[in-house]
Amino acid sequence: MAHIPSRAPATSGTAAAAAGPRPGALAASGHPLVRPPAAAHLSDEQVAELGRELDAIRDEVLAQRGAADAAYIRRIIKIQRVLEITGRAALLAGRNRAAWGAGITLLSVAKILENMEIGHNVLHGQWDWMRDPDIHSTTWEWDFVTPARSWQHTHNDLHHRWTNVVGKDRDVGYNLLRMDPDQPWKPFNLGNPLYNALLAPVFEWGIAIYDLELDEFRQGRKSKAALVKDLKAMGRKAAKQFIKDYAATPALALLTGSGQQALYGTLAANAIRNVWAHAVIFCGHFPEGTDTFTEEMVDGETRGDWYVRQMIGSANISGSRLMHLMTGNLSHQIEHHLFPDLPSSRYAEIAPKIREICSRYRLPYNSGALPKQVVSAWAKVFRLALPAKSSGSGSPARGLSHHFGSMLAFLTQRAGECTDSITNPTVRV
C-alpha cells in the first residue's frame, strides 16, 4: 500500500516492517507548489478538512473490522479453490465439449477471483490484521507470473504513492504505451492500439517484464545484482506457473485422452483472466476525465492533497455486486486508491460517502458502466498514438488526430447512452 506517514503501516514485502519510512513523505501542513486544476479552487483549510473527513471514514471502518470480514475472505478463498479444482477436473474430460467448456469457464472464474479479489487485496495488506499466516501480505504468492514481492514494490510502494504523477508513476503507460499528452510523442507510439491489443491476452507476462524495471537498469538506477535477483525470482515463478497449467494438468488429462484439450483449456483460461484484468485496470486508471499530475503538484503535498490526487486521478465502474466481486472491488478504484489497506468488501459501503464529499468540495467523481469506461480508455489509447495537434491547420497529423478523436468521442457517448437504456428503460437511444 502507499505510505502515508503516521497513519498506514508499511505492510508490503517481507522486509517492510524494517524498511522504515519510504521516500516521498507527506508534509504536515501547507500546500504543494501547484494544485491540480480540478482542485485549484480549494484552500489549504478546505483540503485539510477534507483529509480529516476521509481519515474519519477510514478510522470507522478500521474500528468495525472483525469476524464478519474474516469470514468473508475465508469464504471467497474456499469458493475460489473449489472452482479451480472443479475446473481442472472438468478439463480432464476435455474431449467432451460440454466438459471442456465448463472447465474453461470454471478455471477462468477461479483465476479471476484469485487475482482480483484475493491476491491483489491480500498483497495490499488488507487482511494482515487477522494475523493469519496463510492470508498475509508477506506470505501470499498469487496465480500470476510476476512474483508477489516484485509486484508489491512496483505497485504498492511506487504506483500508490505516486499515482498518475508523470515521471514518477511508471504505471502511466507501463513503459510501453503513451497514455498522457505530457509524455513526449515518438513514431513508436503510432502502434499504441496494436501494443495494447497484444498486451491484453498476455497481461500477466507484460506485468512480469514491467516489474523487472528494465528501464531503471538501463538508466543506472538499478544494479545488475538486483536485476539478476529479480530475473531469477521471475524465472522460478514462471516455471511453477508453467508446470501447473501447461504440464501437470495436460499430463493428467492424457490418461483420459484429453491432453491437448486440457492444454488449450488452460491457455484459454489464462487469456480470459488476462483480458479481464487488463480491462479492469485500464478502466480504473485511463478513462477520459482521470487526471495526471506534474511533480510540482506533489512537491509539498499534504495528506489532504494526497487524498485529492487519488480521487481525481482514478475512475470507478458502476455495476452489480457480482461485477464488483469479479473486479476484486477495483470497480471502486477511487475508494481503493484512497484506502488501499481497507478490506475490499467495505468499498461499496463507503462509496456513497466518498461521492458526497467529492460533490460538496466540487471535485469530480469519475464513474461509469463497464462498456463506457472501456471505450473511453481505448479512445485515449488511440488518441495518444498520434502527436499533439500542430498549429498549422493543414497538418496531416492534426487532421488524422481530429478524425480519430471525433470518432472515439462519439463511440464513448453512444456506449454511455446504450448503458443508460439498459439500466433505465425510460431513456431513449
Side-chain angles (χ1 to χ4, degrees):
M1 68 183 176
H3 173 62
I4 306 177
S6 304
R7 300 291 301 182
T11 57
S12 63
T14 54
R22 297 177 190 155
L26 302 174
S29 61
H31 54 265
L33 288 177
V34 178
R35 278 222 167 92
H41 60 282
L42 298 177
S43 66
D44 292 355
E45 292 74 18
Q46 287 175 312
V47 171
E49 179 58 27
L50 179 148
R52 287 189 286 270
E53 290 189 48
L54 291 173
D55 281 345
I57 291 174
R58 181 176 185 271
D59 290 343
E60 182 179 7
V61 174
L62 290 176
Q64 292 174 350
R65 290 183 310 190
D69 299 283
Y72 169 81
I73 190 60
R74 289 193 172 105
R75 182 170 64 252
I76 295 299
I77 291 173
K78 183 181 293 186
I79 290 171
Q80 186 275 329
R81 288 174 178 170
V82 169
L83 287 170
E84 180 169 4
I85 292 171
T86 307
R88 291 186 187 276
L91 289 177
L92 300 183
R95 292 183 66 181
N96 180 287
R97 286 184 176 272
W100 189 65
I104 292 174
T105 301
L106 293 170
L107 188 55
S108 298
V109 173
K111 284 178 171 289
I112 288 170
L113 279 177
E114 198 286 327
N115 279 174
M116 310 299 282
E117 181 66 342
I118 303 172
H120 172 273
N121 296 325
V122 169
L123 293 177
H124 263 296
Q126 292 181 9
W127 307 100
D128 285 2
W129 58 273
M130 294 167 54
R131 301 191 183 281
D132 183 339
D134 293 328
I135 313 174
H136 199 276
S137 64
T138 60
T139 59
W140 190 272
E141 189 55 73
W142 57 350
D143 183 45
F144 223 46
V145 173
T146 188
R149 307 313 148 223
S150 297
W151 180 84
Q152 284 175 315
H153 167 64
T154 60
H155 183 80
N156 295 6
D157 297 342
L158 301 181
H159 168 62
H160 274 267
R161 173 61 185 97
W162 303 109
T163 308
N164 284 18
V165 179
V166 178
K168 289 282 191 180
D169 182 5
R170 297 167 62 253
D171 280 20
V172 181
Y174 302 104
N175 299 326
L176 174 67
L177 305 169
R178 182 172 182 253
M179 295 302 299
D180 187 82
D182 287 338
Q183 293 173 311
W185 183 87
K186 301 176 183 177
F188 174 83
N189 301 130
L190 288 170
N192 243 24
L194 176 61
Y195 310 147
N196 201 36
L198 294 174
L199 175 64
V202 295
F203 192 54
E204 63 175 320
W205 291 94
I207 294 300
I209 294 171
Y210 168 75
D211 285 346
L212 291 173
E213 299 182 297
L214 297 176
D215 59 317
E216 295 289 288
F217 172 72
R218 287 194 300 269
Q219 295 171 27
R221 293 194 291 264
K222 181 172 183 172
S223 69
K224 182 178 179 180
L227 177 61
V228 170
K229 181 181 178 180
D230 287 348
L231 280 168
K232 289 180 178 179
M234 177 185 163
R236 289 191 296 268
K237 183 65 184 296
K240 290 179 181 178
Q241 293 295 110
F242 185 89
I243 291 170
K244 179 177 67 173
D245 282 341
Y246 306 131
T249 299
L252 284 173
L254 286 173
L255 299 175
T256 63
S258 301
Q260 186 176 17
Q261 289 82 359
L263 174 61
Y264 291 159
T266 52
L267 279 167
N270 279 322
I272 291 168
R273 181 271 312 277
N274 288 336
V275 169
W276 177 253
H278 175 275
V280 171
I281 299 304
F282 271 62
C283 285
H285 296 86
F286 300 127
E288 298 294 341
T290 53
D291 285 0
T292 55
F293 311 95
T294 66
E295 295 187 37
E296 287 182 324
M297 295 176 185
V298 295
D299 189 351
E301 189 178 53
T302 67
R303 180 174 176 79
D305 288 303
W306 183 88
Y307 274 142
V308 168
R309 178 159 56 84
Q310 305 311 309
M311 290 191 287
I312 65 179
S314 310
N316 282 7
I317 308 170
S318 58
S320 66
R321 290 179 63 183
L322 177 61
M323 197 275 296
H324 294 318
L325 173 65
M326 294 301 290
T327 65
N329 277 287
L330 291 179
S331 48
H332 298 106
Q333 189 71 240
I334 296 171
E335 289 71 27
H336 172 63
H337 269 185
L338 288 171
F339 311 117
D341 60 338
L342 292 187
S344 58
S345 55
R346 296 291 191 130
Y347 291 151
E349 71 181 61
I350 67 174
K353 299 177 183 178
I354 305 303
R355 184 187 285 268
E356 188 277 330
I357 287 174
C358 284
S359 175
R360 185 153 36 87
Y361 284 89
R362 292 183 290 130
L363 294 170
Y365 186 89
N366 189 341
S367 182
L370 182 64
K372 178 182 178 182
Q373 299 294 60
V374 167
V375 171
S376 182
W378 271 93
K380 185 175 288 187
V381 170
F382 273 88
R383 178 167 56 82
L384 293 175
L386 301 169
K389 295 179 180 179
S390 66
S391 58
S393 60
S395 167
R398 177 177 182 178
L400 189 57
S401 177
H402 177 74
H403 174 74
F404 272 124
S406 300
M407 178 180 68
L408 291 167
F410 172 76
L411 289 174
T412 303
Q413 178 183 3
R414 294 295 292 175
E417 291 173 350
C418 289
T419 302
D420 288 341
S421 71
I422 295 171
T423 56
N424 181 6
T426 63
V427 178
R428 291 181 178 270
V429 178

